[in-house]
Amino acid sequence: QVHVVESGGGSVQTGGSLRLSCVVSGSSFTPFAMAWYRQVPGNQRELVARIDTRNNPNYADSVKGRFTISRANVRKTLSLQMDDLKPEDTAVYFCNKDQRLYNNLFPWGQGTQVTVSS
């Protein structure tokens, strides 16, 4: 059974930093392009960063230059370093396969809450 567990969220002030982690178990990880998503209640889930199987990253314009995505295939771990956080970054953050490329995503985890206060 596949499990996705996100962690590392918290409450910070504007300009602060957080590092999110996501661990996948019960499935292979290396063959898949992965991504971080975020969701605010009442809104659709938004893809904020993706990384392909050759470690090439791509970012949404809203986070470009502030967020850094990375992956550690041996540990089946996806990370997101978030710097210079802004109140509009407040959301629940999730990781999963890159939805642009795959129809069969992993089951969604619980996500991790990030709250940025001004």
Side-chain angles (χ1 to χ4, degrees):
Q1 190 173 3
V2 180
H3 290 282
V4 176
V5 179
E6 300 92 350
S7 62
S11 296
V12 297
Q13 293 188 323
T14 298
S17 297
L18 286 171
R19 185 175 180 86
L20 306 183
S21 293
C22 162
V23 179
V24 177
S25 61
S27 171
S28 56
F29 179 84
T30 306
F32 301 115
M34 296 293 295
W36 281 98
Y37 305 81
R38 66 186 180 189
Q39 188 171 26
V40 175
N43 289 2
Q44 285 192 331
R45 195 170 282 139
E46 170 194 17
L47 193 153
V48 296
R50 57 173 65 100
I51 187 166
D52 67 16
T53 56
R54 292 182 285 184
N55 282 327
N56 296 310
N58 188 266
Y59 302 95
D61 288 343
S62 58
V63 306
K64 198 172 294 183
R66 301 187 297 119
F67 289 12
T68 303
I69 189 172
S70 60
R71 62 190 297 162
N73 289 337
V74 171
R75 297 194 301 273
K76 296 186 179 181
T77 298
L78 187 73
S79 298
L80 187 68
Q81 176 67 40
M82 305 188 297
D83 298 317
D84 190 23
L85 283 161
K86 303 176 180 182
E88 51 264 41
D89 296 318
T90 296
V92 180
Y93 285 72
F94 303 86
C95 81
N96 212 311
K97 297 178 187 177
D98 185 342
Q99 64 186 11
R100 299 178 313 153
L101 303 177
Y102 312 106
N103 292 323
N104 56 332
L105 303 184
F106 295 136
W108 290 96
Q110 294 293 317
T112 186
Q113 175 71 49
V114 172
T115 303
V116 185
S117 57
S118 57

